[in-house]
C-alpha cells in the first residue's frame, strides 16, 4: 500500500478566505487599459470620464418650424396675427443651428398660414430662446459623464460619443490560465475506454471565468508528471494574472499539486471545511493567485464560486454577481456535520403562495444535480442540520420569475416527464416543469404537505384492482382532488439483449442478480405485491436490497452487466437497447389538488399532455397507451 | 415653406405592438444552428439534448482505499479484524474502475493497518457496492440533460461534455443591421463644425442589440438621398434578420423613411402614443422587421426597448431581460397628456426605509438624464398625471442593492458633487452618491419631505450674515439637524475671455446680456440680494428671465457668446477657460437630519470629503477653501 496523507489541515471557510486575501493583498492591483468607446460595452471605467465637447454643440432648433428674431414677433396674437417676411424668419428642422440674429423658434403647428413662399403669418409672439436647445443643454463640455468603477451600458456609449469621447480607460479583463491535469483525462469526442474520464471541468471553469469578467485560456490536460506540471505552473504564473489548476480528486493527487506549489511559492490554505469542495488549495506563486480546484464537478463549482470568483472580481473590478437570497420552506430534514459548511443543492417551487426547497443529490460527483438545481441551501459549520418545514435561506441560481411559473412535480419517475419539461416552455410562453423523483408514495406525501403542485403516481389498489383513485381517497380524506390522466404503460423485466439467462418471469429472479427500485417507488410496490401473490420471499431474490432511483438507472445497471434483471418500463429498456419481458400494464397519472387546476402553468401542463407533439414523442419512446392524456377526473375524497 | 405632414397617425402603445406582431407572425421563425459545446455559453438550446454516454462511464471507486470482493470480507469487525491478501483486494484511487470480481470499496480511513505490502487488516465487513459509483450514477446514457429553450450556463457545459455531447443545436443570434441616416452626421472623432451632429445612436443601438442576444452590424451614416437609402434598405432586408434605421427627428425626415419603406414593403405603424418615442415606424419588408427609430437618443432608447427588443427576443428566443418593478414615492407632481403613455426618467433613493423617485429632465434629447436615471416611472395614456407623494411603479434599470447604499443628495449644484460621486465608490466598498440639482431651497424642501439624505446649500442669512445654519433653524424647528461642512467658494461674474465688455461688477450688467440661474438656486438668491442692496431693479438687467440650471450651463452660454455674463463659481469659469470677476465668498455645506449621520454610506460620504484625494481634486478645480471639509456641526433647531 502506498502511504497517504489522509488528513488535510482543514480551515473554516471565512478564515480560509481571509488568509488568502491577506496573502494576496500586496499583489492584487487592478490594471487598466485604453480602449475604443465603441468596444467598451460591459467594461468597467477605471477613472471618471469628463465630456470633451458639449451636446448640442451649438444652439439648435428643438422643433420643426421657423427661426425668428423674438423682438420682431412682439404683438402677434390670435386676434392680431403678424406676417413675417424673410429674412425675418427662416425655415428650420429639429436640430438645425440657430444663428444670430435668430434667437427663438416657432413650431410649425403654430404658423397660422404660409402666405407665400417667403412670408408666414404667426399668431403668437415668440419669447427669447423658446424652442431652442442651447449649446450644452444635454452635456456641458468638462462635465463628468461617468464616474470611475462604472460598468458601461448601451446608453453610456451613446452619451460618451456625443460628449466627444472616442477612447477611455477601463480595467483589464484579467487573464486566467485553466489547467486540467490527469493522465486518465481524455478530450471530449476522443474514444472512451474503461478508466478514461472526459475532461469537462476546465470547460465549466472557462465559462465561469468569462462570466466573472475574466479572459480564460484553457490548457490541454497535463499528465501527472511532476516536472511537466511544475514547468507549466512556472510558465503560467509568469504570463497570466491568475491560474486555476484542476487537481485530481484523490488525496494523493492533491498533495502532488500542493507540493509543487509549495516549491514554487506559498501554499496559504490546503483543505477547507466546505462540502463539497474540501480539498481546495489556495496558493500565491510569483505574486499571482493559484487555486487548486478539486476534481469532482460540484466541488470544482463551489471552490470556484467561493474562492476564485471574489479574487477575480477584485482584479477585474467587475461587480460580483450576487445570487439573490430567498426564504423557502425545506421539504426534507437535512443532517450535516459540524466538520464543514455544506452547500445543499435544492429545487425551488412556488406552491400555494410560499416557496418550497427540495434537496437534491448531495454527492460531489452529482453534476446533473447542479444542472437541475435552482439554488443552494447553506448549512453553517455550527449547525448539525435543519428540520423539515423550517424556513431557510436559499441562494438562488435561477430567476425567481421563472420559478413562479414552474409546475412542481414530485413523485414517480417516467421518461415522459423529460419530454414534458422540454415541450412545456415551447408550447406555452414561459411555463416550466420541474420534477423530482421520490416514488409514488413520496410524491403523494409531498402533495399533502403542500410542497408540490402535482404527483405522478401509479399505485394499484389490491382490493379493487383500480389505479390511483383509491389511494387518493384514502390519503386526502375531505379534500377536493383530481387526477390528470397520464399514460398507460407496460412494466416488465429489463434484461440483457437476447435474454441470455432465459428469464421468463418473476419466478426466474431467484437464480439471477436483480436490481431493485427504492422504497416508496410504485414499481417497488408493484414488485413486492407481485412477489407476495406468487409466494416468493423477498430474501430469495439476490440483489433485492440493491436500489436504483430511476428506470434509467436500473436499465444502466443491466446494460453494464452489474445486474441481470430489474423491473421497469418498456421505454427505458428500449432507450438502452435491452430486452424486455412484460409483467403487467398500469396507469401513470398526475394527482393534483383541485384548486391548482386553474393555475395558468397547470393549464399549460395539461395542454402539453394533450398536444400532438407529446403523442409523437410517446410513439417514439414506445410502450405507452395514450387514449386519455390530459383528461381531468375530479376525485372528491 | 416646404409642405409638411404635420400629423402622424398615432396609435396606443399596446395596439401598435399587437399590429406589428400580427404583421410579423407569418415570418418570425427562430432559426437554429449547430455549434460546439465549448462555444455555447449563454446560447439557447433549440431542442432537448440527451446524453450519449453515461457518467461515470464504468463502475468506479467513490473513495480512495481498496477494492474488495464483499463476500470475502464477511465477519470482519472491530473485535475480530480480518486480514486480506492480494488479490482479494487491490488499492484504488477515487475514480478508478472497479472490475469483477471486485464489488465494493473500503475507505483508506477504515483500513486498520497495512500488514505488509500485499496484505491489509480491515475492521468492517463491506456490503456489496459500498463506496462504488455505479455506471450512470450521475448521468444515464439516453437521459435528457437539457430541455429545449434553455440558456446554457457554465455548469451545463461541463455536464454536456461528460454526457458525451460535443456539439448541439442552438438558436442563431439574429443578425441586425443598424443604419444611421442624415447628411449632417459625422463619425465620432471627426472634426466638428456648426451644423454637424456626432452619430452616436447607432452605437447605443448596436450595444442594445448585443444585450438582446442579437448580432449587430452597424453601417456608416447614409446621407439623406432617396435612392441610396432605398437601395440600402433593399440590401439589408435581403441579408439580415432585422433592420433598425435611425430616421431623423423631424417629421419631414420620418416621412422620407416611411415612404421608402412603403414602397418596399408594408408600413404597419407610423407614430405611437409614447413619449418620448412618438415618431417610430414599424414596417415589414421582405418578411423582415424594419424599425424606424427616432433620432433623439431617449426616443431611440425607448423605441428600441418597447418595439425592437420583444421582436428580437422572439427571433433569438433569448429571455427578455425584464427590468424589476419597485414601488417608490414620487417626490414631484408629474403632469402628462392623455395623448400618450409617458416614460419619465427618475432617480431612486432609499431614504428612511422607503424608496423615493425624483423625476429627471423629460426632454427626448436629454441623453445624460438616461445615463443618470435609476429607472422609469410610467404614466399611462389614461392618466393626466401623478401627484407628489403618491406611490408609483418604477421600472428599475439599476440594481436595488446598489441603490440601497446610495447617498441621495438633492439641492444646490457644484462641480465637487461630481468629484465626490467618483471618489465615493473607490474609497469605500460600494457606497454611492446620487445628486439632483434643484437649488438650495428646493434641496431643503426635499430634505424636509424625507426625499433625500443631504441637501447641499449655500444660503446667506441677510440679518446675521451667517451661512446655512439660520435657514436650517427656521425651516426645521424642533428637529435635530446637522451641517456637514463642505467648502468655501468664490462666486463671481463669468465673462468672455479677456473681458471684452470690460465688466467690473454687477453695476455693469445693465448694459450687457445676462444669463440667470433658476428660481430657488442659492446663486439666484445671492444675485437678487446683491442687486437689492445696490438698488438695481431686476428689470434693468437684460436677460434676467433667461434661466440655466447649473454653473456649467451658465458658463457654456457665455462661452458660446449667447450671453455676456452670468453669476457662478470660479471652477466653472476655469473649466470653460473664461474670465471671472469675484463678487463674494460663500459657504457651501451639506444639511442633514442628525439621525442619518450614523448610516454607513453617510459615513463613507464624510470620509470622502475628508480624503486627501478630494483635496487634491479641489486644488485642481480651483477657487475653493477647504479648511473644515467633513466637520460635523450639530444644529438643534
Amino acid at each position: 500500500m502506498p502511504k497517504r496523507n489522509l488528513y488535510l489541515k482543514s480551515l473554516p471557510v471565512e478564515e480560509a478566505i481571509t488568509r488568502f486575501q491577506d496573502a494576496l493583498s500586496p499583489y492584487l492591483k487592478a490594471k487598466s487599459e485604453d480602449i475604443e468607446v465603441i468596444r467598451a460595452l460591459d467594461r468597467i471605467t477605471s477613472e471618471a470620464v469628463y465630456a470633451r465637447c458639449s451636446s448640442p454643440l451649438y444652439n439648435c432648433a428643438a422643433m420643426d418650424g421657423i427661426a425668428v428674431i423674438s423682438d420682431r414677433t412682439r404683438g402677434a396674437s390670435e386676434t392680431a396675427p403678424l406676417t413675417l417676411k424673410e429674412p425675418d424668419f427662416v425655415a428650420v428642422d429639429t436640430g438645425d443651428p440657430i444663428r444670430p440674429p435668430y434667437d427663438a423658434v416657432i413650431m410649425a403647428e403654430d404658423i397660422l398660414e404660409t402666405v407665400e413662399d417667403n412670408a408666414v403669418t404667426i399668431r403668437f409672439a415668440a419669447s427669447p430662446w423658446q424652442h431652442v436647445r442651447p449649446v450644452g443643454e444635454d452635456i456641458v463640455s468638462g462635465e463628468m459623464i461617468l464616474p470611475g468603477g462604472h460598468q458601461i451600458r448601451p446608453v453610456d456609449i451613446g452619451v460618451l460619443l456625443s460628449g466627444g469621447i472616442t477612447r477611455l480607460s477601463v480595467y483589464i479583463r484579467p487573464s486566467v490560465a485553466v489547467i486540467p491535469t490527469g493522465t486518465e483525462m481524455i478530450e471530449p469526442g476522443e474514444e472512451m475506454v474503461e478508466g478514461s474520464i472526459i475532461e469537462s471541468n476546465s470547460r465549466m471553469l472557462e465559462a465561469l471565468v468569462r462570466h466573472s469578467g475574466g479572459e480564460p485560456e484553457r490548457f490541454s490536460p497535463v499528465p501527472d508528471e511532476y516536472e511537466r506540471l511544475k514547468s507549466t505552473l512556472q510558465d503560467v504564473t509568469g504570463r497570466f494574472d491568475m491560474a486555476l489548476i484542476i487537481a485530481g480528486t484523490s488525496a494523493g493527487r492533491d498533495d502532488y499539486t500542493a507540493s509543487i506549489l509549495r516549491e514554487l511559492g506559498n501554499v496559504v490554505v490546503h483543505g477547507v471545511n466546505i462540502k463539497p469542495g474540501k480539498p481546495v488549495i489556495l496558493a500565491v506563486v510569483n505574486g499571482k493567485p493559484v487555486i487548486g480546484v478539486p476534481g469532482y464537478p460540484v466541488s470544482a463549482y463551489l471552490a470556484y464560486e467561493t474562492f476564485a470568483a471574489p479574487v477575480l472580481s477584485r482584479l477585474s473590478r467587475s461587480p460580483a454577481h450576487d445570487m439573490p437570497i430567498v426564504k423557502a420552506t425545506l421539504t426534507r430534514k437535512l443532517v450535516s456535520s459540524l466538520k464543514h459548511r455544506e452547500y445543499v443543492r435544492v429545487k425551488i417551487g412556488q406552491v400555494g403562495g410560499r416557496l418550497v426547497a427540495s434537496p437534491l443529490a448531495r454527492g460531489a460527483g452529482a453534476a446533473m444535480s447542479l444542472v437541475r438545481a435552482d439554488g443552494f441551501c447553506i448549512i453553517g459549520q455550527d449547525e448539525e442540520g435543519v428540520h423539515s418545514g423550517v424556513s431557510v435561506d436559499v441562494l438562488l441560481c435561477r430567476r425567481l420569475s421563472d420559478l413562479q411559473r414552474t409546475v412542481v412535480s414530485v413523485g414517480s419517475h417516467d421518461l415522459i416527464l423529460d419530454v414534458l419539461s422540454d415541450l412545456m416552455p415551447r408550447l406555452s410562453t414561459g411555463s416550466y416543469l420541474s420534477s423530482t423523483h421520490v416514488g409514488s408514495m413520496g410524491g403523494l406525501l409531498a402533495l399533502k404537505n403542500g410542497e408540490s403542485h402535482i404527483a405522478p403516481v401509479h399505485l394499484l389498489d389490491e382490493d379493487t384492482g383500480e389505479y390511483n383513485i383509491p389511494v387518493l381517497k384514502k390519503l386526502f380524506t375531505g379534500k377536493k382532488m383530481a387526477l390528470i390522466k397520464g399514460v398507460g404503460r407496460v412494466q416488465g423485466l429489463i434484461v440483457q439483449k437476447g435474454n441470455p439467462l432465459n428469464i421468463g418471469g418473476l419466478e426466474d429472479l431467484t437464480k439471477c442478480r436483480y436490481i431493485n427500485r427504492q422504497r416508496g417507488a410504485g414499481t417497488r410496490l408493484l414488485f413486492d405485491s407481485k412477489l407476495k401473490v406468487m409466494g416468493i420471499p423477498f430474501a430469495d431474490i439476490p440483489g433485492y436490497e440493491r436500489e436504483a432511483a430511476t428506470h434509467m438507472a436500473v436499465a444502466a445497471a443491466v446494460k453494464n452487466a452489474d445486474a441481470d434483471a430489474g423491473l421497469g418500463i418498456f421505454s427505458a429498456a428500449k432507450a438502452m437497447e435491452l430486452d424486455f419481458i412484460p409483467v403487467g400494464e398500469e396507469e401513470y397519472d398526475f394527482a393534483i389538488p383541485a384548486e391548482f387546476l386553474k393555475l395558468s402553468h397547470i393549464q399549460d401542463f395539461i395542454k402539453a399532455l394533450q398536444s400532438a407533439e407529446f403523442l409523437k414523442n410517446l410513439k417514439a419512446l414506445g410502450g405507452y397507451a395514450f387514449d386519455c392524456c390530459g383528461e381531468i377526473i375530479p376525485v372528491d375524497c
Side-chain angles (χ1 to χ4, degrees), chain A:
Chain A
M1 281 294 296
K3 231 188 137 205
R4 295 176 191 282
N5 181 355
L6 294 178
Y7 301 100
L8 305 167
K9 194 181 163 200
S10 217
L11 293 177
V13 180
E14 294 309 329
E15 190 179 336
I17 291 174
T18 306
R19 283 204 198 173
F20 193 38
Q21 298 271 7
D22 287 351
L24 284 171
S25 57
Y27 310 109
L28 279 193
K29 292 205 172 39
K31 290 178 271 183
S32 60
E33 61 180 333
D34 198 56
I35 64 167
E36 281 185 282
V37 167
I38 58 172
R39 315 237 172 278
L41 184 63
D42 296 331
R43 302 297 295 271
I44 317 281
T45 54
S46 62
E47 57 187 30
V49 187
Y50 293 88
R52 288 224 186 92
C53 66
S54 296
S55 172
L57 267 170
Y58 39 85
N59 297 331
C60 64
M63 298 280 186
D64 297 335
I66 54 172
V68 296
I69 302 150
S70 57
D71 251 4
R72 308 251 169 105
T73 66
R74 278 205 195 141
S77 71
E78 297 239 40
T79 50
L82 186 74
T83 297
L84 294 178
K85 289 207 170 175
E86 283 181 355
D88 278 356
F89 79 92
V90 60
V92 286
D93 275 345
T94 305
D96 283 350
I98 303 299
R99 302 189 181 91
Y102 306 107
D103 67 350
V105 167
I106 294 176
M107 289 199 292
E109 287 89 330
D110 287 342
I111 297 171
L112 195 62
E113 62 178 330
T114 303
V115 186
E116 43 198 296
D117 253 18
N118 63 348
V120 293
T121 304
I122 57 170
R123 46 183 175 174
F124 301 110
S127 57
W129 305 104
Q130 84 172 21
H131 302 318
V132 174
R133 298 185 64 207
V135 56
E137 185 192 59
D138 188 15
I139 308 166
V140 182
S141 170
E143 174 185 24
M144 189 179 73
I145 297 179
L146 298 176
H150 175 91
Q151 187 163 31
I152 294 170
R153 304 162 299 169
V155 294
D156 301 326
I157 291 179
V159 173
L160 286 167
L161 294 173
S162 296
I165 310 294
T166 53
R167 300 184 69 86
L168 84 173
S169 176
V170 296
Y171 291 114
I172 62 153
R173 292 194 207 270
S175 59
V176 181
V178 181
I179 309 160
T181 68
T183 312
E184 75 282 21
M185 293 295 167
I186 57 167
E187 291 283 15
E190 280 181 13
E191 207 200 336
M192 293 171 282
V193 293
E194 196 173 77
S196 62
I197 293 175
I198 299 174
E199 202 297 298
S200 62
N201 278 334
S202 68
R203 297 303 188 173
M204 172 182 72
L205 290 170
E206 183 184 42
L208 284 166
V209 167
R210 253 183 241 293
H211 273 188
S212 303
E215 201 65 74
E217 183 175 323
R218 186 257 183 186
F219 284 62
S220 296
V222 179
D224 297 314
E225 293 162 23
Y226 200 90
E227 285 308 322
R228 279 186 68 171
L229 209 52
K230 186 171 158 185
S231 70
T232 302
L233 279 168
Q234 254 168 332
D235 166 44
V236 300
T237 50
R239 291 195 292 131
F240 290 83
D241 296 309
M242 182 170 175
L244 303 176
I245 175 159
I246 309 165
T249 51
S250 74
R253 188 94 65 75
D254 288 333
D255 268 2
Y256 201 63
T257 308
S259 62
I260 292 171
L261 289 172
R262 219 168 275 124
E263 234 184 282
L264 295 173
N266 173 21
V267 171
V268 185
V269 173
H270 184 194
V272 179
N273 301 339
I274 183 172
K275 185 182 177 183
K278 176 173 169 169
V280 69
I281 303 168
L282 308 177
V284 183
V285 178
N286 268 338
K288 308 293 175 59
V290 178
I291 297 179
V293 176
Y296 270 133
V298 186
S299 309
Y301 174 79
L302 283 172
Y304 179 86
E305 290 289 353
T306 313
F307 304 106
V311 173
L312 201 49
S313 170
R314 269 178 71 183
L315 279 172
S316 67
R317 296 294 168 92
S318 61
H321 51 113
D322 314 332
M323 302 192 219
I325 293 176
V326 297
K327 287 269 175 206
T329 306
L330 201 62
T331 63
R332 273 211 319 274
K333 181 179 173 177
L334 284 176
V335 175
S336 182
S337 157
L338 292 175
K339 284 192 205 140
H340 44 240
R341 174 194 293 182
E342 186 168 358
Y343 288 75
V344 180
R345 284 142 273 168
V346 294
K347 294 287 288 179
I348 298 286
Q350 179 162 312
V351 181
R354 66 174 189 164
L355 292 177
V356 291
S358 309
L360 288 165
R362 288 162 81 173
M368 257 313 275
S369 72
L370 206 52
V371 168
R372 295 166 50 79
D374 300 320
F376 294 90
C377 166
I378 299 176
I379 307 179
Q381 199 181 334
D382 54 349
E383 296 171 81
E384 286 192 85
V386 185
H387 284 286
S388 165
V390 167
S391 174
V392 292
D393 281 336
V394 174
L395 281 175
L396 273 195
C397 56
R398 192 157 290 173
R399 291 193 300 179
L400 186 58
S401 56
D402 286 351
L403 295 175
Q404 288 166 334
R405 291 177 301 192
T406 297
V407 172
V408 180
S409 164
V410 178
S412 171
H413 172 250
D414 192 287
L415 276 70
I416 68 165
L417 293 171
D418 279 353
V419 172
L420 287 167
S421 78
D422 174 39
L423 284 179
M424 254 182 79
R426 287 198 275 160
L427 297 179
S428 66
T429 48
S431 291
Y432 301 91
L433 172 67
S434 135
S435 46
T436 312
H437 312 135
V438 300
S440 295
M441 286 309 290
L444 291 176
L445 196 66
L447 203 59
K448 210 176 156 80
N449 290 339
E451 295 161 0
S452 59
H453 296 115
I454 58 172
V457 288
H458 54 114
L459 289 169
L460 178 66
D461 181 54
E462 290 178 12
D463 302 334
T464 60
E466 196 184 359
Y467 264 91
N468 301 329
I469 291 177
V471 67
L472 275 196
K473 290 197 170 168
K474 239 174 263 172
L475 285 175
F476 292 86
T477 314
K479 269 209 80 173
K480 278 195 186 306
M481 300 292 291
L483 217 51
I484 302 171
K485 288 302 289 178
V487 294
R489 64 181 196 179
V490 185
Q491 289 267 21
L493 290 170
I494 299 170
V495 300
Q496 296 298 338
K497 188 86 193 159
N499 193 6
L501 296 185
N502 209 12
I503 296 167
L506 301 188
E507 61 281 7
D508 297 330
L509 295 179
T510 52
K511 62 177 192 197
C512 70
R513 296 170 304 149
Y514 185 71
I515 179 158
N516 209 344
R517 289 291 307 281
Q518 84 280 15
R519 254 168 283 260
T523 303
R524 168 85 165 245
L525 295 173
L526 178 71
F527 186 56
D528 290 354
S529 146
K530 295 260 178 205
L531 288 182
K532 267 187 226 160
V533 170
M534 296 171 77
I536 306 171
F538 299 165
D540 285 3
I541 312 279
Y544 181 87
E545 315 74 25
R546 196 173 163 208
E547 298 180 350
T550 67
H551 295 281
M552 287 297 272
V554 167
V558 174
K559 179 83 182 178
N560 198 43
D562 295 329
D564 301 315
L567 190 62
I569 53 177
F570 175 79
S571 53
K574 189 182 172 205
M576 285 273 180
E577 296 172 340
L578 294 166
D579 272 13
F580 185 80
I581 298 133
V583 165
E585 284 173 32
E586 62 177 11
E587 294 168 36
Y588 181 87
D589 303 319
F590 303 92
I592 183 171
E595 59 182 315
F596 289 161
L597 283 169
K598 64 177 188 298
L599 296 174
S600 68
H601 39 294
I602 291 289
Q603 287 299 319
D604 288 338
F605 173 75
I606 294 168
K607 265 180 230 155
L609 269 175
Q610 295 169 338
S611 69
E613 288 87 337
F614 180 59
L615 296 190
K616 209 176 96 189
N617 273 282
L618 281 186
K619 282 178 196 162
L621 286 170
Y624 292 104
F626 35 83
D627 302 330
C628 41
C629 291
E631 268 179 34
I632 312 290
I633 298 176
V635 184
D636 286 344
C637 306

